[in-house]
Amino acid sequence: MPPRNWNPTTVVQGVPWILLGLCLWLEPGTASLPFLMDSVIQALAELEQKVPVTETNHTASVWPLSAQDSDPHDPLHHFLLEGQRFRATKLDLFALSPELRGLIEEVARHDVRGGQEYGVVLAPDGSTVAVEPLLAGLKAGLQKNRVISLPLDSTATPPGARATFPDVGATVPDVRATSPGLRDASLDVSSADVGAMSLNVRATDLNEGAISPDVRDPSSHVQVTSLEDQTSSPDAKVKSPTTVDSLLVVTLARDLGLTFLQGPQTHSHPGLGAEGCWDQLSVPKNFTLLDPGASLLTTAFLNGALDGVLLGDYLSRAPEPLPPLSHLLSQYYGAGVAGDPGLRSNFRRPNGAALISAPALTQQVWGTLILLQRLEPAHPQLQGMSQEQLAQVATLATKEYTEAFLGCPAIHPRCRWRAAPYRGRPRPLQLPLGFLYVHHTYLPASPCTAFESCAAKMRSMQRYHQDTQGWDDIGYSFVVGSDGYVYEGRGWHWVGAHTLGHNSRGFGVAFVGNYTAELPADAALRTVRDMLPRCAVRAGLLRPDYAVLGHRQVVRTDCPGDALFHLLSTWPHFDANVKPRIARRASRKSKKKLPPVTLPATGL
């Protein structure tokens, strides 16, 4: 029976503070639990069961903030998230299991060292997620009051001196109908308007069929407008921000700004940051980056930051009583929050693109750098930086993030679906290419809607292509599932075996399923029509004047199916001048791309 003063909301509010602080008390060791999001959820559930609740409405909290003063991130966290002091609770009140202690010590701090990434876990959707920005987002969302006024000058009292905390505005209102939100804010608003910016999103808005106002119609052409189109330059009388949204600052804006202060880079491939490979997927422990020189802005970090933004915004708007965080994370990394299949980790990028506009994010990054400069006047990266220079950094960082991460599809690397090694010696492509050849897999005939199913079908196709067809590898360049992800086949740089006689001229992209009479999921269609080619053009992999062709236009086959080919013919880059070469009905070989296979009941 719960204590008389038990309050589920205060328990929920206390858990992120405790989890973030535990790593500072624990002795270094080796976690025995696998680095899975399910393990983090298990830890949260245990804390929710064991955290005591103090008298009145204060929540059990994290350890004294002085223990974190040595961390360079903490002054900002202290200023934004610790304005309302909570009564401290001693750690020895918690009978935490050794496995839980070890897990928290290992994953609560994100870092990149020696080609390895630390503080990340594998989620059920196959993505890798940094835990620290995720927890920071939950913490900011639980505080409800997110609009923080910036200090007017550099005389702000250092965090360790028990300063009066910033002016915390009223709970961010619903500004959908009355003021600009992060999707449609403009940079030439007044500084007072910036304070009204908020993340105007609800779970009901984030469904798979309505990921953003620009992409509700799957036949429409989707574009992520670049900052050159959306904003004016920093010299165009743009007023510097006077407020920031604590949720965006602690999850994303600070790290974006500081990384691009160190040395802005534009990657030569779609997507911001680096992907990596786990040592094993069933019991993951070590995560090795594919780019040994990667910055802290890895794909895993950006995933965790974006999840923190989406869930933090949800919590800041959710009515009381709040759901237990373990339940919220189970839903988000599962079937969807509150039964909404669109509000889940599989669709974090389109949901983030619908939520965060480039102009508003630019203001937030700029405001964060101003705040850091005033809180830490001796900060080595910020000393001597003018307002115009900070604005330029914020503009560049936002441009790269919105175009190369939010605007690009999430691609699972080969190691994630446990691809077999390439046989033989791959031939490099001469980039950029001029064609995108669209296929359906035919067999497997059913779409795959979950990571384990999609990964199993990838391995099945690779076995057939290698063992039966005698090819060096799976033939397609990329395969698109109905789970929100693209799966790397031969990738951007190696000649495939997808379109006979044309393999070196274009990329072969296949939808998992038989689309003779049906169409792929809207999200999958948008990925192939808009996101994948746009990002390939941006990275110099595909020519701007590329042509889209169905497989049947260059090879005698029914592929990619009548229904899909009919829709394909309406796409902007479709080349109608190349007439289809209909398969001979007497020959069933050309129609049947794969033999019947029995897929394993379990995935990985």
Side-chain angles (χ1 to χ4, degrees):
M1 182 176 180
R4 187 185 311 171
N5 63 346
W6 187 84
N7 185 323
T9 297
T10 55
V11 171
V12 168
Q13 291 174 340
V15 168
W17 276 263
I18 295 169
L19 198 56
L20 278 170
L22 276 173
C23 65
L24 300 173
W25 285 65
L26 297 170
E27 294 295 328
T30 301
S32 58
L33 291 175
F35 289 179
L36 296 168
M37 183 58 70
D38 287 342
S39 300
V40 175
I41 294 172
Q42 177 186 340
L44 284 169
E46 185 170 332
L47 286 171
E48 287 165 345
Q49 291 293 323
K50 295 180 178 180
V51 61
V53 180
T54 61
E55 297 176 6
T56 71
N57 204 30
H58 290 119
T59 174
S61 73
V62 73
W63 328 128
L65 292 173
S66 59
Q68 303 185 33
D69 285 347
S70 60
D71 188 282
H73 289 176
D74 292 329
L76 191 59
H77 273 264
H78 183 89
F79 189 76
L80 294 175
L81 299 183
E82 306 299 340
Q84 300 174 6
R85 292 291 185 124
F86 293 94
R87 190 172 302 175
T89 303
K90 293 182 179 180
L91 178 60
D92 57 15
L93 294 176
F94 308 106
L96 299 174
S97 66
E99 293 83 5
L100 174 58
R101 289 171 179 261
L103 174 76
I104 294 172
E105 194 278 330
E106 293 285 353
V107 304
R109 293 284 181 176
H110 178 259
D111 198 9
V112 171
R113 301 189 309 273
Q116 299 285 120
E117 188 168 10
Y118 301 90
V120 298
V121 295
L122 178 64
D125 65 352
S127 64
T128 302
V129 179
V131 176
E132 185 178 5
L134 168 63
L135 294 179
L138 296 177
K139 185 176 178 181
L142 287 169
Q143 281 198 318
K144 302 288 186 178
N145 303 324
R146 288 166 33 190
V147 178
I148 307 296
S149 297
L150 296 176
L152 296 180
D153 53 40
S154 59
T155 60
T157 308
R162 296 185 176 276
T164 300
F165 286 88
D167 177 21
V168 180
T171 302
V172 178
D174 182 5
V175 295
R176 179 180 302 279
T178 59
S179 65
L182 285 183
R183 268 304 313 164
D184 52 12
S186 171
L187 260 184
D188 60 358
V189 299
S190 69
S191 58
D193 293 330
V194 179
M197 293 179 184
S198 68
L199 299 168
N200 54 6
V201 66
R202 282 174 169 69
T204 53
D205 300 325
L206 295 176
N207 57 71
E208 187 174 346
I211 289 176
S212 108
D214 300 322
V215 294
R216 291 179 184 274
D217 181 1
S219 65
S220 63
H221 181 54
V222 184
Q223 289 187 350
V224 174
T225 307
S226 68
L227 277 181
E228 286 90 341
D229 299 324
Q230 292 191 31
T231 71
S232 56
S233 69
D235 297 327
K237 297 182 181 179
V238 178
K239 294 184 179 180
S240 63
T242 59
T243 62
V244 291
D245 183 338
S246 61
L247 175 60
L248 273 177
V249 172
V250 300
T251 53
L252 181 62
R254 176 195 62 199
D255 292 274
L256 267 180
L258 290 179
T259 298
F260 279 82
L261 272 173
Q262 291 175 351
Q265 295 180 4
T266 300
H267 293 273
S268 59
H269 53 83
L272 181 70
E275 257 293 359
C277 296
W278 288 97
D279 52 347
Q280 52 183 329
L281 296 181
S282 56
V283 188
K285 290 288 187 178
N286 299 303
F287 190 71
T288 302
L289 292 165
L290 295 174
D291 177 5
S295 73
L296 288 172
L297 292 183
T298 62
T299 296
F301 176 85
L302 296 174
N303 285 342
L306 190 51
D307 291 348
V309 170
L310 293 168
L311 292 175
D313 181 70
Y314 179 87
L315 287 170
S316 73
R317 298 177 179 280
E320 305 289 352
L322 296 174
L325 293 183
S326 59
H327 292 180
L328 179 64
L329 292 183
S330 293
Q331 293 176 346
Y332 180 76
Y333 293 105
V337 174
D340 180 1
L343 186 50
R344 56 185 172 131
S345 56
N346 301 61
F347 302 106
R348 63 168 64 86
R349 294 198 196 195
N351 287 346
L355 188 64
I356 307 169
S357 76
L361 181 58
T362 301
Q363 284 277 333
Q364 293 297 317
V365 175
W366 187 9
T368 301
L369 295 176
I370 293 172
L371 178 58
L372 278 169
Q373 195 176 51
R374 293 171 182 173
L375 287 176
E376 302 181 77
H379 195 292
Q381 293 176 255
L382 294 167
Q383 277 186 314
M385 294 286 288
S386 67
Q387 290 290 303
E388 290 74 16
Q389 289 173 316
L390 295 181
Q392 290 169 356
V393 169
T395 299
L396 178 59
T398 300
K399 174 181 171 62
E400 185 69 14
Y401 176 74
T402 55
E403 292 184 2
F405 183 75
L406 285 186
C408 289
I411 301 177
H412 283 321
R414 291 169 59 88
C415 59
R416 201 67 49 83
W417 56 269
R418 286 173 48 188
Y422 192 95
R423 296 176 183 174
R425 188 172 183 176
R427 287 192 298 130
L429 289 165
Q430 301 299 313
L431 303 171
L433 303 185
F435 295 91
L436 194 68
Y437 302 114
V438 178
H439 303 250
H440 69 168
T441 61
Y442 189 75
L443 289 173
S446 60
C448 61
T449 58
F451 169 66
E452 290 192 356
S453 171
C454 292
K457 290 183 177 184
M458 289 294 292
R459 295 193 298 273
S460 173
M461 287 186 286
Q462 186 188 40
R463 284 194 299 269
Y464 174 70
H465 289 176
Q466 288 185 323
D467 298 341
T468 303
Q469 297 288 78
W471 300 343
D472 293 337
D473 196 5
I474 188 171
Y476 306 117
S477 305
F478 296 96
V479 177
V480 182
S482 296
D483 62 336
Y485 288 99
V486 176
Y487 290 77
E488 181 186 20
R490 299 209 189 185
W492 296 116
H493 298 284
W494 308 113
V495 175
H498 45 77
T499 311
L500 185 64
H502 299 263
N503 291 316
S504 63
R505 301 180 63 194
F507 299 106
V509 180
F511 292 92
V512 176
N514 177 1
Y515 297 106
T516 301
E518 300 178 349
L519 287 174
D522 288 349
L525 288 169
R526 289 194 294 272
T527 293
V528 178
R529 184 192 63 210
D530 304 311
M531 298 176 72
L532 191 70
R534 179 180 62 233
C535 294
V537 169
R538 183 181 187 273
L541 304 166
L542 193 63
R543 293 204 305 263
D545 62 345
Y546 73 92
V548 171
L549 294 173
H551 189 194
R552 63 173 61 180
Q553 290 177 271
V554 289
V555 175
R556 197 175 297 277
T557 176
D558 289 333
C559 179
D562 291 343
L564 179 54
F565 183 74
H566 177 73
L567 179 63
L568 197 68
S569 66
T570 68
W571 288 8
H573 282 264
F574 178 78
D575 189 349
N577 295 320
V578 181
K579 301 303 179 184
R581 303 178 64 185
I582 302 301
R584 296 187 181 93
R585 297 299 174 182
S587 173
R588 303 179 64 181
K589 182 178 180 181
S590 62
K591 178 179 177 181
K592 193 170 184 179
K593 295 174 66 90
L594 290 175
V597 292
T598 302
L599 295 175
T602 58
L604 297 174

